[in-house]
Amino acid sequence: MNKPVQIDESWKLRLGAELEQPYFGALRHFVREEYARGKVYPPAKQIFRAFDECPFDAVEVVILGQDPYHGPGQANGLCFAVGCDIAPPPSLQNIFKELEADLGRKVSRDPDLSRWARQGVLLLNATLTVRESAAGSHQGKGWERFTDAAVQALSREREGLVFLLWGNYARQKGAGVDRSKHLVLECAHPSPLSARNGFFGCRHFSKANAYLESRERAPIDW
């Protein structure tokens, strides 16, 4: 008998129907087998960390990633983030560069990013697990449907959120967000392969805060 999925209750209210679907049962079986067979990231207790750190009603900004990092000790359950004792990967380094250029000041470069999550930044990967050294190895197993449901619930039930869609994958995942209710900002991915094609200079961080403040909501202390 499967144990209940351990996920923040506010999200379980919105995603509970997904947890009961046959595809999710198959996904749980696949992921359990993968953890038993070899190294999978993030640690199992951090799979749903993005939801646990940022309850549904606390979300202000949504950043969509694709896959967890697949190197040892990197993935921590928050997209683009790594553990505080891990060197920031290139995409995260570029995020910090753009953030400092945008705000015109130094910011914390703690790569864990939980400080953002605690302020209402949902750092959500489309796929929540990955096999070591095998990028994309858990894609197409059901995670995308589950995280799509989370994005759809936010679009439908909340108003005035900011969605930051970096790169084509994130753009596609956020294509259904109701732009009449939310601010959607799109640009190139922060990867070194594409950051100079529009991520640098996008100023998404100050634009997000300006939007939140225009709605009399607290800005994010990036």
Side-chain angles (χ1 to χ4, degrees), residues 68-126:
Y69 295 118
H70 53 80
Q74 288 184 306
N76 70 356
L78 306 178
C79 75
F80 292 106
V82 293
C84 59
D85 56 345
I86 302 293
S91 289
L92 183 55
Q93 291 181 37
N94 285 341
I95 289 170
F96 288 144
K97 287 178 185 176
E98 170 57 23
L99 178 55
E100 292 186 343
D102 183 7
L103 302 186
R105 60 175 172 81
K106 296 291 185 182
V107 300
S108 168
R109 290 205 173 205
D110 179 354
D112 176 72
L113 300 187
S114 59
R115 68 187 184 282
W116 292 4
R118 289 192 295 268
Q119 295 179 77
V121 181
L122 179 67
L123 296 160
L124 183 63
N125 275 316

Side-chain angles (χ1 to χ4, degrees), residues 3-4 14 26 33 44 52 62 80 83 87 91 111-112 138 166 180 185:
K3 294 180 180 179
R14 277 80 184 185
E33 290 292 308
D52 295 335
V62 181
F80 292 106
S91 289
D112 176 72
H138 288 189
W166 299 336
S180 71
L185 299 175

Side-chain angles (χ1 to χ4, degrees), residues 9-103:
E9 284 299 320
S10 68
W11 283 104
K12 188 174 283 189
L13 283 173
R14 277 80 184 185
L15 301 176
E18 297 297 316
L19 301 177
E20 302 301 321
Q21 294 294 319
Y23 86 87
F24 197 85
L27 171 63
R28 290 189 74 184
H29 178 75
F30 167 77
V31 170
R32 192 179 297 114
E33 290 292 308
E34 286 283 277
Y35 274 98
R37 189 176 296 121
K39 291 186 177 180
V40 175
Y41 302 120
K45 65 182 180 180
Q46 294 182 331
I47 291 175
F48 297 105
R49 187 181 175 202
F51 299 106
D52 295 335
E53 293 263 12
C54 191
F56 184 85
D57 294 317
V59 176
E60 299 285 353
V61 177
V62 181
I63 299 178
L64 297 178
Q66 187 168 353
D67 244 14
Y69 295 118
H70 53 80
Q74 288 184 306
N76 70 356
L78 306 178
C79 75
F80 292 106
V82 293
C84 59
D85 56 345
I86 302 293
S91 289
L92 183 55
Q93 291 181 37
N94 285 341
I95 289 170
F96 288 144
K97 287 178 185 176
E98 170 57 23
L99 178 55
E100 292 186 343
D102 183 7
L103 302 186

Side-chain angles (χ1 to χ4, degrees), residues 108-182:
S108 168
R109 290 205 173 205
D110 179 354
D112 176 72
L113 300 187
S114 59
R115 68 187 184 282
W116 292 4
R118 289 192 295 268
Q119 295 179 77
V121 181
L122 179 67
L123 296 160
L124 183 63
N125 275 316
T127 303
L128 300 187
T129 53
V130 68
R131 193 182 312 135
E132 184 178 55
S133 302
S137 52
H138 288 189
Q139 291 178 7
K141 303 296 184 180
W143 279 130
E144 294 93 339
R145 176 173 167 178
F146 180 75
T147 53
D148 279 347
V151 173
Q152 290 160 11
L154 287 167
S155 176
R156 182 177 61 250
E157 296 185 37
R158 297 289 308 279
E159 286 192 19
L161 303 184
V162 183
F163 289 81
L164 304 185
L165 309 181
W166 299 336
N168 290 333
Y169 188 93
R171 283 190 178 109
Q172 292 168 10
K173 193 167 186 68
V177 172
D178 187 344
R179 282 148 168 84
S180 71
K181 295 169 57 181
H182 306 285

